[in-house]
Amino acid sequence: MQQVDVVVIGAGAAGLMCAAQAGYRGRKVAVVDMGKKPGRKILISGGGRCNFTNENASPANYLCSNPHFVKSCLSRYTQQDFIDLVDRHGLQYHHKTLGQLFCDNSAQDIVDILLTECEWAGVSIHLRQEVSSISALPEGGYQVQTSTLTLQCESVVVASGGLTMPKLGATPIGYKIAEQFGLKVLPTTAALVPFTLHDHDKARFDGLSGVSVDCLVTSESGVQFRENILFTHRGLSGPAILQISSFWKSGEYVSINLLPDLNVAEQLHQWRNEQGQKSLKNLLSTILPKRFIEALIEDKSIPDKNANQLSHTEIDQLAQTLTEWKIKPNGTEGYRTAEVTLGGVDTDELSSKTFEAKKQKGLYFIGEVTDVTGWLGGYNFQYAWSCGWACGQVV
């Protein structure tokens, strides 16, 4: 049996950040993780380049049953604080659109920074350790039993992640620990995830795989994102679709404006007056992918006519089709390809300052296991750094 001050369950972004911070305060910290290597989700993020934060991160970029919960940690450890950290380690990175920051080389660079911080802070990391039980000790503190370790500690930090990407070893262990100690866990679902389509829509768009369109996508609740959508073999993906998936509920439509920068009715009238002999298909193919236009003509969403054959009513209808193209997804690709888990440990059960369970002294929950879900684009990593830092100051 080993005696330590803090056991962190999960060697991901939030867990490693918290462990290093606690270690720097002189706490004896042990991190346990069932994987073969730390930071597995970091390594595959951002196409292997890790979109490690977003310059625009603010509480407005997060979904949580308590929208105020993230304010404290995000204000106390900001995106600039994390940028300062990676700058100190000499990380080479670049800016992309919408405030996203990516590693120049590899996501491994971020993992290496976290591991270096943990090493400097005296943290011990134990891999291939599946937690089999956790129990509160009569005299205070906890005993954590893993495959080969028995650890006794004052505090336990659950940073075990959500249910996304089960091939990386995702398990519901964090939710089970919360329930064991009487904490409420909100229903979970896959988020930042591609849509699948009903068979009739899949047949309509068969052959469009790889086609990308810059769109404005709107959920039934009125949330909007302006980025690309991407047709896949099974349905729709791309940044705008991943974003809207967090706000979509089964049975709902999404509305897609295929030409958000254009007054479409005005353009159609101009074509009718100035290029009337040209086919609508050829004219529309100058502003949208030809294969996509052909598919819409084939299913009669767009008339197969020359521009000068369009009536005023047809122009209005076509403008509506192109700016309010409605599609009802069949579902999502699920946890297999989702980037994050929506839902989780109810934040009303936790202190927003320390992340300690209000009804269980010495038990903390941070990162994806909590009911906090960021937008696509580095926001979830920033929450991991912020809550890991905040918890690490007190644990």
Side-chain angles (χ1 to χ4, degrees), residues 71-145:
K71 286 181 178 176
S72 174
C73 71
L74 289 176
S75 66
R76 290 159 61 217
Y77 190 85
T78 67
Q79 51 271 44
Q80 190 56 53
D81 289 319
F82 191 75
I83 292 167
D84 291 344
L85 172 68
V86 301
D87 282 344
R88 288 198 297 275
H89 284 263
L91 178 74
Q92 300 296 304
Y93 59 88
H94 57 276
H95 299 247
K96 280 199 176 177
T97 55
L98 307 174
Q100 300 171 42
L101 271 63
F102 285 80
C103 300
D104 282 357
N105 301 314
S106 158
Q108 183 67 52
D109 293 345
I110 293 290
V111 176
D112 289 345
I113 288 170
L114 295 169
L115 294 178
T116 299
E117 290 284 322
C118 284
E119 186 184 338
W120 290 347
V123 174
S124 60
I125 298 175
H126 307 271
L127 300 173
R128 301 184 193 229
Q129 297 292 331
E130 188 168 357
V131 174
S132 53
S133 70
I134 169 172
S135 50
L137 299 171
E139 64 274 21
Y142 297 87
Q143 180 164 300
V144 178
Q145 186 69 50

Side-chain angles (χ1 to χ4, degrees), residues 76-299:
R76 290 159 61 217
Y77 190 85
T78 67
Q79 51 271 44
Q80 190 56 53
D81 289 319
F82 191 75
I83 292 167
D84 291 344
L85 172 68
V86 301
D87 282 344
R88 288 198 297 275
H89 284 263
L91 178 74
Q92 300 296 304
Y93 59 88
H94 57 276
H95 299 247
K96 280 199 176 177
T97 55
L98 307 174
Q100 300 171 42
L101 271 63
F102 285 80
C103 300
D104 282 357
N105 301 314
S106 158
Q108 183 67 52
D109 293 345
I110 293 290
V111 176
D112 289 345
I113 288 170
L114 295 169
L115 294 178
T116 299
E117 290 284 322
C118 284
E119 186 184 338
W120 290 347
V123 174
S124 60
I125 298 175
H126 307 271
L127 300 173
R128 301 184 193 229
Q129 297 292 331
E130 188 168 357
V131 174
S132 53
S133 70
I134 169 172
S135 50
L137 299 171
E139 64 274 21
Y142 297 87
Q143 180 164 300
V144 178
Q145 186 69 50
T146 75
S147 323
T148 62
L149 295 171
T150 302
L151 299 164
Q152 286 195 353
C153 58
E154 286 177 39
S155 306
V156 172
V157 180
V158 180
S160 53
L163 299 173
T164 48
M165 302 182 187
K167 66 175 185 279
L168 292 183
T171 74
I173 178 72
Y175 309 131
K176 289 180 177 175
I177 293 170
E179 287 169 344
Q180 176 190 337
F181 288 97
L183 277 65
K184 184 179 179 184
V185 177
L186 299 175
T188 58
T189 187
L192 299 184
V193 62
F195 286 140
T196 56
L197 296 178
H198 292 279
D199 286 343
H200 63 274
D201 282 328
K202 226 181 325 187
R204 282 169 73 199
F205 304 121
D206 186 41
L208 292 186
S209 182
V211 170
S212 177
V213 187
D214 175 31
C215 298
L216 180 68
V217 182
T218 307
S219 70
E220 279 197 19
S221 60
V223 177
Q224 295 185 322
F225 288 98
R226 168 74 186 271
E227 283 189 80
N228 280 4
I229 67 167
L230 175 70
F231 289 89
T232 69
H233 289 296
R234 291 165 53 83
L236 288 172
S237 187
I241 295 297
L242 298 185
Q243 294 280 35
I244 215 72
S245 71
S246 297
F247 299 87
W248 175 81
K249 293 180 176 61
S250 182
E252 291 184 347
Y253 285 89
V254 292
S255 178
I256 301 175
N257 184 342
L258 296 159
L259 294 162
D261 293 327
L262 191 66
N263 183 323
V264 178
E266 198 176 277
Q267 180 66 71
L268 291 170
H269 279 293
Q270 187 179 335
W271 280 341
R272 190 179 69 166
N273 295 336
E274 297 175 8
Q275 303 183 62
Q277 297 304 316
K278 290 187 178 177
S279 71
L280 200 52
K281 179 172 85 171
N282 287 341
L283 289 167
L284 286 170
S285 295
T286 64
I287 54 174
L288 284 167
K290 187 179 180 184
R291 280 159 61 197
F292 178 55
I293 295 301
E294 287 171 346
L296 291 181
I297 285 175
E298 195 171 320
D299 74 7

Side-chain angles (χ1 to χ4, degrees), residues 306-340:
N306 289 347
N308 60 8
Q309 294 175 298
L310 290 173
S311 67
H312 287 289
T313 302
E314 284 177 318
I315 283 176
D316 290 341
Q317 286 173 343
L318 181 52
Q320 187 170 4
T321 297
L322 295 173
T323 57
E324 297 177 40
W325 182 51
K326 285 189 165 50
I327 194 136
K328 185 188 281 189
N330 181 36
T332 74
E333 293 276 6
Y335 292 119
R336 184 179 64 84
T337 59
E339 301 214 6
V340 288

